[in-house]
Amino acid sequence: MPDSTPAGSLTLRDVAAALDRLYPPESAADWDRVGLVTGDLDQPVRRILFALDPTLAVIDEARDWGADLVVTHHPLLLRGVHSVATTSAKGASVTSLVVSDIALYVAHTNADVADPGVSSVLADALGLTAQRPLTRIGPYAAGRVGELGAPQSLAEFADAVAAALPPTAGGIRVSGDPAGVVLTVAVMGGSGDDQFDAVRASGADVYVTADLRHHPVLEAREEARDGTPYLIDAGHWATESLWLAGAERQLLAALGEDPAAPTRVESRISSIRTEPWTFVVGANAAATAAASSGGVS
Amino acid sequence: MPDSTPAGSLTLRDVAAALDRLYPPESAADWDRVGLVTGDLDQPVRRILFALDPTLAVIDEARDWGADLVVTHHPLLLRGVHSVATTSAKGASVTSLVVSDIALYVAHTNADVADPGVSSVLADALGLTAQRPLTRIGPYAAGRVGELGAPQSLAEFADAVAAALPPTAGGIRVSGDPAGVVLTVAVMGGSGDDQFDAVRASGADVYVTADLRHHPVLEAREEARDGTPYLIDAGHWATESLWLAGAERQLLAALGEDPAAPTRVESRISSIRTEPWTFVVGANAAATAAASSGGVS
Amino acid sequence: MPDSTPAGSLTLRDVAAALDRLYPPESAADWDRVGLVTGDLDQPVRRILFALDPTLAVIDEARDWGADLVVTHHPLLLRGVHSVATTSAKGASVTSLVVSDIALYVAHTNADVADPGVSSVLADALGLTAQRPLTRIGPYAAGRVGELGAPQSLAEFADAVAAALPPTAGGIRVSGDPAGVVLTVAVMGGSGDDQFDAVRASGADVYVTADLRHHPVLEAREEARDGTPYLIDAGHWATESLWLAGAERQLLAALGEDPAAPTRVESRISSIRTEPWTFVVGANAAATAAASSGGVS
Amino acid sequence: MPDSTPAGSLTLRDVAAALDRLYPPESAADWDRVGLVTGDLDQPVRRILFALDPTLAVIDEARDWGADLVVTHHPLLLRGVHSVATTSAKGASVTSLVVSDIALYVAHTNADVADPGVSSVLADALGLTAQRPLTRIGPYAAGRVGELGAPQSLAEFADAVAAALPPTAGGIRVSGDPAGVVLTVAVMGGSGDDQFDAVRASGADVYVTADLRHHPVLEAREEARDGTPYLIDAGHWATESLWLAGAERQLLAALGEDPAAPTRVESRISSIRTEPWTFVVGANAAATAAASSGGVS
Amino acid sequence: MPDSTPAGSLTLRDVAAALDRLYPPESAADWDRVGLVTGDLDQPVRRILFALDPTLAVIDEARDWGADLVVTHHPLLLRGVHSVATTSAKGASVTSLVVSDIALYVAHTNADVADPGVSSVLADALGLTAQRPLTRIGPYAAGRVGELGAPQSLAEFADAVAAALPPTAGGIRVSGDPAGVVLTVAVMGGSGDDQFDAVRASGADVYVTADLRHHPVLEAREEARDGTPYLIDAGHWATESLWLAGAERQLLAALGEDPAAPTRVESRISSIRTEPWTFVVGANAAATAAASSGGVS
Amino acid sequence: MPDSTPAGSLTLRDVAAALDRLYPPESAADWDRVGLVTGDLDQPVRRILFALDPTLAVIDEARDWGADLVVTHHPLLLRGVHSVATTSAKGASVTSLVVSDIALYVAHTNADVADPGVSSVLADALGLTAQRPLTRIGPYAAGRVGELGAPQSLAEFADAVAAALPPTAGGIRVSGDPAGVVLTVAVMGGSGDDQFDAVRASGADVYVTADLRHHPVLEAREEARDGTPYLIDAGHWATESLWLAGAERQLLAALGEDPAAPTRVESRISSIRTEPWTFVVGANAAATAAASSGGVS
């Protein structure tokens, strides 16, 4: 199925090996499924697309652009599949990749714990200094804690987070007194609601993560007695997608290419936002309502 | 600890029995923990406060108002506790209730499957007709599916949801084409991300629930191939808090009181919004950014 | 990926529906994985290949013949896969099927319990009369017990089994006194070493199945105190492959075709023997050795 | 129950201690059950019978010979029993041993990992040089990999295996191209179908083990893409029974006896072949059929 | 091993079948292990010994008396054994039974739920009227609740229990006010500390059972707020051994013998008390101490 | 809820920290639940009551005496609770403690393994010399083995145990020959029936523990072939309550107080015996009966 590979060009074997060095598969969580999902090690790789999620739209973009390889953060087949018939979306995705000769490579929790990795890139984007791990998962540092240049109000910091991350429909949800002061910041890209104990132990004033649901957030806020650590849900896609640009640069360098002017491969970051939310209605309505009625919020 | 109960007044025994009839404990899920959490069956009950969550602020409100009983939807001790020392928020909550002689009664998944119950009240608020169950949990109907009076665009329907629910900071997040047409609506108050199969089987055009995270939503949207069923995350607190007013009326009636002018008990709904989000920054930023740059969203 | 389907021709949707009626998926064991593994319901089906196992050689045969659909007894993805990269044989098989636009449909334990099904076809081939189920798996009859026309020695019966089944490299292994008399026969196509209790309860004189290993066989022979039921391991492939011809005829009939002269589809049975053994050395060497030395066997 | 022990003679205590030193019980697998199964430590031991399996026929032989102790490789009570009534074969075996004052001692997985042990003896019998472990089970080497003196065809090697092992009814089943060349050989006495990963990692050209069933073998052959490692199922009894003679010599030596002329104990190896197969019909029939028909195999 | 059976005499097959009818094995608990433990169905049975526990002393008594069969309530091999070597007490027991040709038959939880059975015999011995089940285990009644002829003080009732049961070293331990009045009595022979909920639901004033440990008893007494149900630990052996005489009579009748003058079998109840306690020191010392010091108890 | 704390007085924070140093929570068993159960770290502590069990009577005593803190060995909430309503005894206990502003602190398995701790205090009380651990639980020594000054008969030793422990209703139950000689003694305060292997390995002549039930004791006696180790069940409360006085002294010292004349706190040991047995009837009746009848015991 792969074409014959021209002399001097890269194969999937070359590129997968470079990615394995950047994001060693053995550093992924036990439950995770990383590495090659589709493709043949002998197929040539001339175009590489980076995206957070291997959605059908991303795969269409890859095919339309002529990509040979898609590198994503999120696994396509985290749960094992017993069929790739097109009746399911997972099956349609696999079928579309295979029919189009597109390889898929996943770097997930192994990219989370890499350095640079998902959380360190997020911490950098927020300007955190004196960075240290938030927690350890096995032998690997996960999440980051660091310091802002100067104390800010929670409202100011939320604006800064919004400015640092790519814009989304969902925006950035904040729990805590807007006038409260924050200096120490904990971050965990993606879903971080299992790290509240570590956040409290870290002494952080605010925790930036995503996918926060009612009960865990409310319990964390109760445990904080309404004070610090405050919580910011900045969106799963937004907090993780920053990683893509760095990963692209690192891979090109690892392949011996000049990231600014590669010769054997082309690469780009997908233009598809895979945050699932399209629009929001009524955000901040409670405050508006409270302001106009003098009511309790 | 309870005072002696004046002749003719209600005891916790009376009120708990009435609540047990409205929300039979045996209809709760196996994993759930409902019924009496604090209190003594012989204590008098003259003031009853209804709230979605038994937070420390709600307990303070109850104490300040002189409530004898708090009725909440969410359990305080869903996970068993081995200590009620005030070093934990759960312990501080129990201690505060007990010291103030305030009983706590929880109606959770048994209120979800009641009729009227959490999802039927939500369906009513959205004006759904021809209501039928979304699914069954054991022998109990759970969630609702119904019809709008006339087809609407998803954008129009989202506005209608926002108008029907109490305002919140988080607002209402929508996934789907704003111009897409919806007529059949599925609803599940609170966290409903385990019901996507039932939603697809129901033929609903849109599903209103809450606590939707990146991966389940994205997978559901992929399975829908970007079409229907669309998804609306209307907030855990907002989708469930509508139930409180009806529960209050039903309890008063069950106690033989005229809800409009009860004589032996006073009741009210807590003024505390227990949605944990305080404010949102940058919602709809992606659309704004896209509009100003002509970029892909 | 599928071509446009000519009017009047069959689609995979039609054929899969017919197979689902012959072998209802809900009659498969809980742990089993049956039905469609690759393919798109809208793709046309003009050529159907039947085989016991979806090996790479079978897939090559299907591709070379231009098959649109392969129907096999054994699942390709009984254990869920997280990758279909060609680095694994399973991935290479899926990739080969998908690239060649070949659908794969599996009827496994649902074909075992069907009537006619794997065990009933085997019982028929051995000429058993008065057939009844050997056991039940849930509500379904599994295996068969029946009577020979007249008592035979175990040696004669073994020769008859060899004559009734397709020839293989492994041959037919027999445990028991060659001169012992058999009349009642139990059969279970494929691996049947979990049915010894049922065989004993059935009163069978001999049990024909496959994949028998040292310990289960020795324990069964000990339990039989060296008498009946005798055991015959007739090979997994040989005992199950008889089913293919009947399944082909039934499917054609179910599609409204004359099995002898179908018009809309062509079908055939794979010429690949997927029994893995290539040759045997030294079979019956013990008897030969014993004969020549007068030794104990 | 034991007779009084004459001065100077050995007791079961002495012999069991010697066996424990040769095959330390703590080196057995967690799930295994080794050591003394019947007997009294004070009973005298004058005659020791070695056998692979403690079958009823072996026990009869032991009783008829006047054995005081049977040493077997396979456990009698691997699964715990709740009854030794003679209604079950296991119960009849225990009862027969106890009534006849015969002790039973088992060395199973502790004999597999011993050196010399079951796999090393098999490797020696095949003439392998440069032997190294195939895998490790906990801290213990298991299986062996080694080199033939010179490359052979698979057919030649299979003949050599047949010549090196005791003859059996079942013979030696081979999967692979008879003309394929083999030099590096992996061996695992008894059931080895859980070691295919280790075999592939070892670089072996052929793997000699036993108890291979359809699915594991076919999957291993697919993974090998029909090439190496080839597979040989040489029979559970045949691959393990070679160990008995060495164990007998070692025990005598450990007891301070001259193996060639022991004075305090007599010993012998059972004449019973406990391979359960009596005869084979139709082996190599496929090749014969193919040869006569020119058909595909 | 069994002698030839004289015409007209009973075999173990006959006696075991009669016991199976009295105490159907399928009515035993899932975890239990009942029925034949040693013996051969063809052996003659002329002498039957009944005992609560198959201890070494009981087996010695059986051998000395020439018993062919021992019937016990408690299993010898509740946990499966992998060895019957005499190094363990269980192994020594099995070996002693087998060497002496003594069969062992166990009726345990199937005798508990029989009627008459262990708890009904105990209830009868205490003179309870209007007996009903204490609880149900699957479809079977377990334990008994009944009424005394007239109210008694707890002290009087304890004396009556002591008089009704065989004397033991351990005596009868009582928790509750000696002057408290009891009328309704719950009983469960043997270990009954998992039935406190059923006892409370039954309205019993006192619960007679055995094997009560500190924590379950103290929690039950706390739940009773020091009132009823009171608790009596009357000893495991004492509460169950009453059953033996009835079982003996029933078996003889089931064999067609006149229990008063059987002709084909002799039977008797073991003279060994298998309660493990030999003597007690300092019972009631607390009361004595309190009486002499005026202290709190 | 706590009063304001006078300068110089102790808070619960101080006392809990001292207890944590004496009995490190991390040395408790995984399944155990130790530390603070009720209370607020800022509340003043002037009166401390020590008791083995936090029963309702103990809590009443604490309230009547004006205790601020109760220190117990046994947990109140070993199993997590989902309600502290007074309908359950556990809920009533928590409610009573909280309403009365009484903190509860538990030192359980961490006190068992402390030195001095529950078992070492028991060993000291019995005058054992050359004390060593009976076993290890993780890294911690548990139980004690030691030597008596001179050999004693089991009857004499039982009398000595009775004299060394506080008197109880249940007394001290002994299994073994009264004339048997004991010199080496193993002890484990509270329930020790899971340590029989360690006791046998220790070479102890007698094992003093509590909560011994029929089956474990009988099996241990069988394993001992009626010889040593003998068993003494000296009562759960009696064997553990000796620890209280030492714990009181240690805590006072740890708080910098003179145990003989503390200035900032008062302390005492509860006068409530929480052994649940009130009286015993018929102890030693078997021996009496045997003596009067000449019968077998």
Side-chain angles (χ1 to χ4, degrees), chain E residues 32 34 51-54 71-75 105-109 111-112 118 236 240 243-244:
Chain E
D32 202 5
V34 302
L52 203 70
D53 295 275
V71 176
T72 66
H73 182 51
H74 288 144
Y105 183 99
V106 169
H108 188 211
T109 53
D112 287 338
V118 172
H236 198 124
E240 297 192 330
W243 165 78
L244 295 170

PDB file of all heavy atoms in Angstrom, chain E residues 32 34 51-54 71-75 105-109 111-112 118 236 240 243-244:
ATOM      1  N   ASP E  32     -20.204 -23.688  51.144  1.00  0.00           N
ATOM      2  CA  ASP E  32     -20.087 -24.835  52.030  1.00  0.00           C
ATOM      3  C   ASP E  32     -19.636 -26.071  51.248  1.00  0.00           C
ATOM      4  O   ASP E  32     -19.689 -26.097  50.016  1.00  0.00           O
ATOM      5  CB  ASP E  32     -21.438 -25.088  52.697  1.00  0.00           C
ATOM      6  CG  ASP E  32     -21.304 -25.884  53.983  1.00  0.00           C
ATOM      7  OD1 ASP E  32     -20.169 -26.154  54.412  1.00  0.00           O
ATOM      8  OD2 ASP E  32     -22.348 -26.230  54.559  1.00  0.00           O
ATOM      9  N   VAL E  34     -20.281 -30.093  51.612  1.00  0.00           N
ATOM     10  CA  VAL E  34     -20.975 -31.139  52.349  1.00  0.00           C
ATOM     11  C   VAL E  34     -20.932 -32.448  51.574  1.00  0.00           C
ATOM     12  O   VAL E  34     -20.476 -32.497  50.433  1.00  0.00           O
ATOM     13  CB  VAL E  34     -22.433 -30.728  52.622  1.00  0.00           C
ATOM     14  CG1 VAL E  34     -22.483 -29.421  53.408  1.00  0.00           C
ATOM     15  CG2 VAL E  34     -23.215 -30.601  51.325  1.00  0.00           C
ATOM     16  N   ALA E  51     -20.978 -37.155  65.306  1.00  0.00           N
ATOM     17  CA  ALA E  51     -20.205 -36.205  66.113  1.00  0.00           C
ATOM     18  C   ALA E  51     -20.324 -34.830  65.483  1.00  0.00           C
ATOM     19  O   ALA E  51     -20.633 -34.702  64.295  1.00  0.00           O
ATOM     20  CB  ALA E  51     -18.739 -36.624  66.182  1.00  0.00           C
ATOM     21  N   LEU E  52     -20.074 -33.797  66.279  1.00  0.00           N
ATOM     22  CA  LEU E  52     -20.190 -32.454  65.724  1.00  0.00           C
ATOM     23  C   LEU E  52     -18.992 -32.126  64.842  1.00  0.00           C
ATOM     24  O   LEU E  52     -19.137 -31.517  63.785  1.00  0.00           O
ATOM     25  CB  LEU E  52     -20.322 -31.409  66.833  1.00  0.00           C
ATOM     26  CG  LEU E  52     -20.987 -30.134  66.334  1.00  0.00           C
ATOM     27  CD1 LEU E  52     -22.456 -30.381  66.047  1.00  0.00           C
ATOM     28  CD2 LEU E  52     -20.819 -28.996  67.307  1.00  0.00           C
ATOM     29  N   ASP E  53     -17.799 -32.524  65.268  1.00  0.00           N
ATOM     30  CA  ASP E  53     -16.569 -32.171  64.547  1.00  0.00           C
ATOM     31  C   ASP E  53     -15.747 -33.428  64.286  1.00  0.00           C
ATOM     32  O   ASP E  53     -15.590 -34.257  65.182  1.00  0.00           O
ATOM     33  CB  ASP E  53     -15.701 -31.231  65.403  1.00  0.00           C
ATOM     34  CG  ASP E  53     -16.353 -29.893  65.653  1.00  0.00           C
ATOM     35  OD1 ASP E  53     -16.230 -29.010  64.802  1.00  0.00           O
ATOM     36  OD2 ASP E  53     -16.994 -29.746  66.713  1.00  0.00           O
ATOM     37  N   PRO E  54     -15.164 -33.543  63.099  1.00  0.00           N
ATOM     38  CA  PRO E  54     -14.321 -34.703  62.792  1.00  0.00           C
ATOM     39  C   PRO E  54     -12.901 -34.505  63.291  1.00  0.00           C
ATOM     40  O   PRO E  54     -11.959 -34.440  62.502  1.00  0.00           O
ATOM     41  CB  PRO E  54     -14.376 -34.780  61.270  1.00  0.00           C
ATOM     42  CG  PRO E  54     -14.555 -33.342  60.841  1.00  0.00           C
ATOM     43  CD  PRO E  54     -15.347 -32.667  61.925  1.00  0.00           C
ATOM     44  N   VAL E  71     -20.613 -39.465  60.774  1.00  0.00           N
ATOM     45  CA  VAL E  71     -21.442 -38.363  60.269  1.00  0.00           C
ATOM     46  C   VAL E  71     -21.193 -37.161  61.154  1.00  0.00           C
ATOM     47  O   VAL E  71     -21.398 -37.252  62.372  1.00  0.00           O
ATOM     48  CB  VAL E  71     -22.942 -38.732  60.295  1.00  0.00           C
ATOM     49  CG1 VAL E  71     -23.792 -37.538  59.857  1.00  0.00           C
ATOM     50  CG2 VAL E  71     -23.208 -39.939  59.405  1.00  0.00           C
ATOM     51  N   THR E  72     -20.718 -36.064  60.553  1.00  0.00           N
ATOM     52  CA  THR E  72     -20.465 -34.859  61.359  1.00  0.00           C
ATOM     53  C   THR E  72     -21.220 -33.660  60.791  1.00  0.00           C
ATOM     54  O   THR E  72     -21.649 -33.666  59.634  1.00  0.00           O
ATOM     55  CB  THR E  72     -18.964 -34.497  61.407  1.00  0.00           C
ATOM     56  OG1 THR E  72     -18.538 -34.127  60.099  1.00  0.00           O
ATOM     57  CG2 THR E  72     -18.124 -35.633  61.949  1.00  0.00           C
ATOM     58  N   HIS E  73     -21.353 -32.672  61.642  1.00  0.00           N
ATOM     59  CA  HIS E  73     -21.975 -31.413  61.200  1.00  0.00           C
ATOM     60  C   HIS E  73     -20.924 -30.518  60.531  1.00  0.00           C
ATOM     61  O   HIS E  73     -21.182 -29.909  59.505  1.00  0.00           O
ATOM     62  CB  HIS E  73     -22.580 -30.713  62.412  1.00  0.00           C
ATOM     63  CG  HIS E  73     -23.291 -29.440  62.079  1.00  0.00           C
ATOM     64  ND1 HIS E  73     -24.245 -29.349  61.101  1.00  0.00           N
ATOM     65  CD2 HIS E  73     -23.190 -28.184  62.603  1.00  0.00           C
ATOM     66  CE1 HIS E  73     -24.705 -28.112  61.038  1.00  0.00           C
ATOM     67  NE2 HIS E  73     -24.075 -27.388  61.921  1.00  0.00           N
ATOM     68  N   HIS E  74     -19.762 -30.451  61.108  1.00  0.00           N
ATOM     69  CA  HIS E  74     -18.757 -29.537  60.562  1.00  0.00           C
ATOM     70  C   HIS E  74     -17.898 -30.235  59.514  1.00  0.00           C
ATOM     71  O   HIS E  74     -17.490 -31.376  59.703  1.00  0.00           O
ATOM     72  CB  HIS E  74     -17.870 -28.987  61.683  1.00  0.00           C
ATOM     73  CG  HIS E  74     -18.606 -28.003  62.539  1.00  0.00           C
ATOM     74  ND1 HIS E  74     -18.432 -27.889  63.890  1.00  0.00           N
ATOM     75  CD2 HIS E  74     -19.551 -27.084  62.222  1.00  0.00           C
ATOM     76  CE1 HIS E  74     -19.223 -26.954  64.364  1.00  0.00           C
ATOM     77  NE2 HIS E  74     -19.927 -26.449  63.381  1.00  0.00           N
ATOM     78  N   PRO E  75     -17.626 -29.526  58.410  1.00  0.00           N
ATOM     79  CA  PRO E  75     -16.778 -30.089  57.349  1.00  0.00           C
ATOM     80  C   PRO E  75     -15.343 -30.299  57.828  1.00  0.00           C
ATOM     81  O   PRO E  75     -14.826 -29.521  58.634  1.00  0.00           O
ATOM     82  CB  PRO E  75     -16.803 -29.011  56.259  1.00  0.00           C
ATOM     83  CG  PRO E  75     -17.989 -28.164  56.554  1.00  0.00           C
ATOM     84  CD  PRO E  75     -18.145 -28.194  58.045  1.00  0.00           C
ATOM     85  N   TYR E 105     -19.081 -38.413  56.327  1.00  0.00           N
ATOM     86  CA  TYR E 105     -20.161 -37.705  55.627  1.00  0.00           C
ATOM     87  C   TYR E 105     -20.493 -36.463  56.440  1.00  0.00           C
ATOM     88  O   TYR E 105     -20.668 -36.534  57.654  1.00  0.00           O
ATOM     89  CB  TYR E 105     -21.392 -38.602  55.521  1.00  0.00           C
ATOM     90  CG  TYR E 105     -22.529 -37.974  54.735  1.00  0.00           C
ATOM     91  CD1 TYR E 105     -22.745 -38.287  53.393  1.00  0.00           C
ATOM     92  CD2 TYR E 105     -23.388 -37.057  55.332  1.00  0.00           C
ATOM     93  CE1 TYR E 105     -23.777 -37.708  52.667  1.00  0.00           C
ATOM     94  CE2 TYR E 105     -24.415 -36.456  54.607  1.00  0.00           C
ATOM     95  CZ  TYR E 105     -24.604 -36.796  53.284  1.00  0.00           C
ATOM     96  OH  TYR E 105     -25.616 -36.203  52.566  1.00  0.00           O
ATOM     97  N   VAL E 106     -20.618 -35.306  55.737  1.00  0.00           N
ATOM     98  CA  VAL E 106     -20.854 -34.029  56.407  1.00  0.00           C
ATOM     99  C   VAL E 106     -22.216 -33.461  56.013  1.00  0.00           C
ATOM    100  O   VAL E 106     -22.556 -33.396  54.833  1.00  0.00           O
ATOM    101  CB  VAL E 106     -19.751 -33.012  56.006  1.00  0.00           C
ATOM    102  CG1 VAL E 106     -20.114 -31.612  56.464  1.00  0.00           C
ATOM    103  CG2 VAL E 106     -18.404 -33.435  56.568  1.00  0.00           C
ATOM    104  N   ALA E 107     -23.003 -33.057  57.021  1.00  0.00           N
ATOM    105  CA  ALA E 107     -24.247 -32.292  56.774  1.00  0.00           C
ATOM    106  C   ALA E 107     -24.145 -31.001  57.557  1.00  0.00           C
ATOM    107  O   ALA E 107     -24.294 -31.009  58.776  1.00  0.00           O
ATOM    108  CB  ALA E 107     -25.466 -33.107  57.208  1.00  0.00           C
ATOM    109  N   HIS E 108     -23.875 -29.910  56.885  1.00  0.00           N
ATOM    110  CA  HIS E 108     -23.545 -28.666  57.573  1.00  0.00           C
ATOM    111  C   HIS E 108     -24.665 -27.633  57.376  1.00  0.00           C
ATOM    112  O   HIS E 108     -25.717 -27.744  58.000  1.00  0.00           O
ATOM    113  CB  HIS E 108     -22.187 -28.165  57.055  1.00  0.00           C
ATOM    114  CG  HIS E 108     -21.630 -27.004  57.808  1.00  0.00           C
ATOM    115  ND1 HIS E 108     -20.838 -26.050  57.224  1.00  0.00           N
ATOM    116  CD2 HIS E 108     -21.751 -26.640  59.101  1.00  0.00           C
ATOM    117  CE1 HIS E 108     -20.492 -25.159  58.129  1.00  0.00           C
ATOM    118  NE2 HIS E 108     -21.028 -25.491  59.269  1.00  0.00           N
ATOM    119  N   THR E 109     -24.464 -26.679  56.458  1.00  0.00           N
ATOM    120  CA  THR E 109     -25.535 -25.674  56.317  1.00  0.00           C
ATOM    121  C   THR E 109     -26.817 -26.297  55.780  1.00  0.00           C
ATOM    122  O   THR E 109     -27.895 -25.745  55.980  1.00  0.00           O
ATOM    123  CB  THR E 109     -25.083 -24.507  55.425  1.00  0.00           C
ATOM    124  OG1 THR E 109     -24.592 -25.038  54.202  1.00  0.00           O
ATOM    125  CG2 THR E 109     -23.992 -23.703  56.093  1.00  0.00           C
ATOM    126  N   ALA E 111     -27.933 -29.019  56.998  1.00  0.00           N
ATOM    127  CA  ALA E 111     -28.594 -29.446  58.235  1.00  0.00           C
ATOM    128  C   ALA E 111     -29.102 -28.238  59.019  1.00  0.00           C
ATOM    129  O   ALA E 111     -30.084 -28.331  59.742  1.00  0.00           O
ATOM    130  CB  ALA E 111     -27.632 -30.266  59.095  1.00  0.00           C
ATOM    131  N   ASP E 112     -28.445 -27.092  58.849  1.00  0.00           N
ATOM    132  CA  ASP E 112     -28.929 -25.878  59.531  1.00  0.00           C
ATOM    133  C   ASP E 112     -30.329 -25.516  59.044  1.00  0.00           C
ATOM    134  O   ASP E 112     -31.172 -25.088  59.829  1.00  0.00           O
ATOM    135  CB  ASP E 112     -27.987 -24.686  59.236  1.00  0.00           C
ATOM    136  CG  ASP E 112     -26.663 -24.791  59.975  1.00  0.00           C
ATOM    137  OD1 ASP E 112     -26.593 -25.491  60.991  1.00  0.00           O
ATOM    138  OD2 ASP E 112     -25.694 -24.151  59.525  1.00  0.00           O
ATOM    139  N   VAL E 118     -30.689 -27.918  62.776  1.00  0.00           N
ATOM    140  CA  VAL E 118     -29.918 -27.462  63.931  1.00  0.00           C
ATOM    141  C   VAL E 118     -30.664 -26.398  64.739  1.00  0.00           C
ATOM    142  O   VAL E 118     -30.766 -26.485  65.965  1.00  0.00           O
ATOM    143  CB  VAL E 118     -28.533 -26.949  63.471  1.00  0.00           C
ATOM    144  CG1 VAL E 118     -27.794 -26.290  64.619  1.00  0.00           C
ATOM    145  CG2 VAL E 118     -27.723 -28.098  62.888  1.00  0.00           C
ATOM    146  N   HIS E 236     -20.709 -22.662  70.690  1.00  0.00           N
ATOM    147  CA  HIS E 236     -20.926 -23.226  69.362  1.00  0.00           C
ATOM    148  C   HIS E 236     -21.279 -24.720  69.465  1.00  0.00           C
ATOM    149  O   HIS E 236     -22.259 -25.187  68.895  1.00  0.00           O
ATOM    150  CB  HIS E 236     -19.660 -23.022  68.527  1.00  0.00           C
ATOM    151  CG  HIS E 236     -19.844 -23.162  67.064  1.00  0.00           C
ATOM    152  ND1 HIS E 236     -19.519 -22.182  66.159  1.00  0.00           N
ATOM    153  CD2 HIS E 236     -20.338 -24.168  66.325  1.00  0.00           C
ATOM    154  CE1 HIS E 236     -19.785 -22.602  64.931  1.00  0.00           C
ATOM    155  NE2 HIS E 236     -20.287 -23.806  65.009  1.00  0.00           N
ATOM    156  N   GLU E 240     -25.205 -26.565  68.908  1.00  0.00           N
ATOM    157  CA  GLU E 240     -25.389 -27.411  67.743  1.00  0.00           C
ATOM    158  C   GLU E 240     -25.440 -28.903  68.067  1.00  0.00           C
ATOM    159  O   GLU E 240     -25.989 -29.683  67.284  1.00  0.00           O
ATOM    160  CB  GLU E 240     -24.270 -27.149  66.721  1.00  0.00           C
ATOM    161  CG  GLU E 240     -24.294 -25.713  66.195  1.00  0.00           C
ATOM    162  CD  GLU E 240     -23.402 -25.511  64.990  1.00  0.00           C
ATOM    163  OE1 GLU E 240     -22.382 -26.221  64.874  1.00  0.00           O
ATOM    164  OE2 GLU E 240     -23.718 -24.633  64.165  1.00  0.00           O
ATOM    165  N   TRP E 243     -28.488 -31.346  67.962  1.00  0.00           N
ATOM    166  CA  TRP E 243     -29.009 -31.860  66.703  1.00  0.00           C
ATOM    167  C   TRP E 243     -28.654 -33.333  66.471  1.00  0.00           C
ATOM    168  O   TRP E 243     -29.365 -34.052  65.754  1.00  0.00           O
ATOM    169  CB  TRP E 243     -28.464 -30.993  65.559  1.00  0.00           C
ATOM    170  CG  TRP E 243     -28.600 -31.556  64.198  1.00  0.00           C
ATOM    171  CD1 TRP E 243     -29.723 -31.583  63.424  1.00  0.00           C
ATOM    172  CD2 TRP E 243     -27.576 -32.186  63.413  1.00  0.00           C
ATOM    173  NE1 TRP E 243     -29.471 -32.161  62.226  1.00  0.00           N
ATOM    174  CE2 TRP E 243     -28.161 -32.549  62.186  1.00  0.00           C
ATOM    175  CE3 TRP E 243     -26.226 -32.469  63.634  1.00  0.00           C
ATOM    176  CZ2 TRP E 243     -27.424 -33.181  61.177  1.00  0.00           C
ATOM    177  CZ3 TRP E 243     -25.504 -33.094  62.637  1.00  0.00           C
ATOM    178  CH2 TRP E 243     -26.105 -33.453  61.436  1.00  0.00           C
ATOM    179  N   LEU E 244     -27.550 -33.779  67.075  1.00  0.00           N
ATOM    180  CA  LEU E 244     -27.022 -35.106  66.734  1.00  0.00           C
ATOM    181  C   LEU E 244     -28.025 -36.225  67.014  1.00  0.00           C
ATOM    182  O   LEU E 244     -28.201 -37.138  66.200  1.00  0.00           O
ATOM    183  CB  LEU E 244     -25.717 -35.363  67.503  1.00  0.00           C
ATOM    184  CG  LEU E 244     -24.545 -34.428  67.131  1.00  0.00           C
ATOM    185  CD1 LEU E 244     -23.402 -34.602  68.126  1.00  0.00           C
ATOM    186  CD2 LEU E 244     -24.064 -34.705  65.713  1.00  0.00           C
TER     187      LEU E 244
END
